[in-house]
Amino acid sequence: MTRPFLQGHSDPTVQPVPASVVERVDAADTTLQNPKWAVISIGANLGNRLETLQGAVDALEDTPGVRVKAVSPVYETEPWGVAPGTQPSYFNAVVALKTTLPPESLLERAHAVEEAFKRVRDEHWGPRTLDVDIVAYADVTSDDPRLTLPHPRAHERAFVLAPWHDVDPQAQLPGRGAVADLLAAVTREGVAPRADLELRLPE
């Protein structure tokens, strides 16, 4: 049995739901269906580093199909792979999130966030306004050169392992073992916690 007011405008209290609202509701529903954990490393050594990292966290949270679940403390890190004193130090952090995006789409979003903060890729190991790297995605392992999972150098980088361990002391790096054990095996030289700085978890 059909309801007559759905066929016309005889009931002035009934308004059609805007398509934009329906799309937002649908998007919210899809984020709840079989989400995967992912760990993302963020870093910046140009401009307002803390503001940039917060902007990256907020941009990830604003991504359909992504929900930021934890943000690590901030670490100050000497630049990797360059002579001491030739670049400003980095601020680094780790973001743990749940997502329904496949790894390739999450990578595209990571690159888009970098570009929004004027990331320039013209020098290997060069200074960066923002670096957004997928460290791990669920238990996925991949040798794809565009997106190697887990990140091929995460196991040897204290600036990734230390903040990740802060967020999840029981974390496992697929194929490498416990993050706690990996962290114990690398030097923390040049990687210092900044207790005076804090990134906000998006509301």
Side-chain angles (χ1 to χ4, degrees):
M1 177 176 168
T2 60
R3 288 175 290 179
F5 65 76
L6 291 178
Q7 298 174 353
H9 299 287
S10 56
D11 185 342
T13 66
V14 176
Q15 298 292 329
V17 178
S20 60
V21 173
V22 174
E23 289 171 2
R24 284 201 300 273
V25 171
D26 288 345
D29 284 345
T30 61
T31 65
L32 303 178
Q33 297 174 5
N34 195 30
K36 305 294 185 186
W37 278 101
V39 176
I40 289 183
S41 173
I42 55 177
N45 76 333
L46 294 176
N48 187 325
R49 296 166 293 175
L50 187 66
E51 185 177 283
T52 296
L53 294 190
Q54 185 64 60
V57 172
D58 294 342
L60 289 169
E61 173 66 17
D62 287 342
T63 303
V66 170
R67 289 292 177 268
V68 173
K69 293 298 184 179
V71 181
S72 78
V74 176
Y75 282 74
E76 187 164 11
T77 307
E78 291 301 315
W80 182 273
V82 299
T86 59
Q87 287 185 27
S89 60
Y90 276 85
F91 285 174
N92 289 99
V94 156
V95 180
L97 53 84
K98 281 190 171 182
T99 182
T100 55
L101 298 179
E104 298 77 11
S105 297
L106 189 59
L107 178 66
E108 289 176 3
R109 179 57 175 168
H111 287 169
V113 173
E114 288 179 341
E115 290 166 8
F117 285 89
K118 307 296 190 292
R119 163 71 185 269
V120 177
R121 298 173 179 273
D122 58 0
E123 180 186 348
H124 193 50
W125 306 123
R128 292 103 183 257
T129 50
L130 180 62
D131 205 5
V132 181
D133 287 325
I134 301 176
V135 177
Y137 182 101
D139 295 324
V140 174
T141 57
S142 168
D143 293 328
D144 186 330
R146 185 164 183 267
L147 178 56
T148 303
L149 290 171
H151 192 286
R153 291 176 294 280
H155 66 284
E156 59 189 26
R157 293 180 168 178
F159 67 81
V160 172
L161 297 172
W164 187 3
H165 183 262
D166 290 338
V167 166
D168 182 4
Q170 308 302 317
Q172 298 278 328
L173 182 62
R176 295 284 184 178
V179 168
D181 294 340
L182 296 170
L183 180 58
V186 300
T187 177
R188 292 200 189 203
E189 184 178 353
V191 178
R194 288 291 303 267
D196 57 318
L197 303 177
E198 185 178 10
L199 294 172
R200 301 182 311 277
L201 190 65
E203 297 179 357

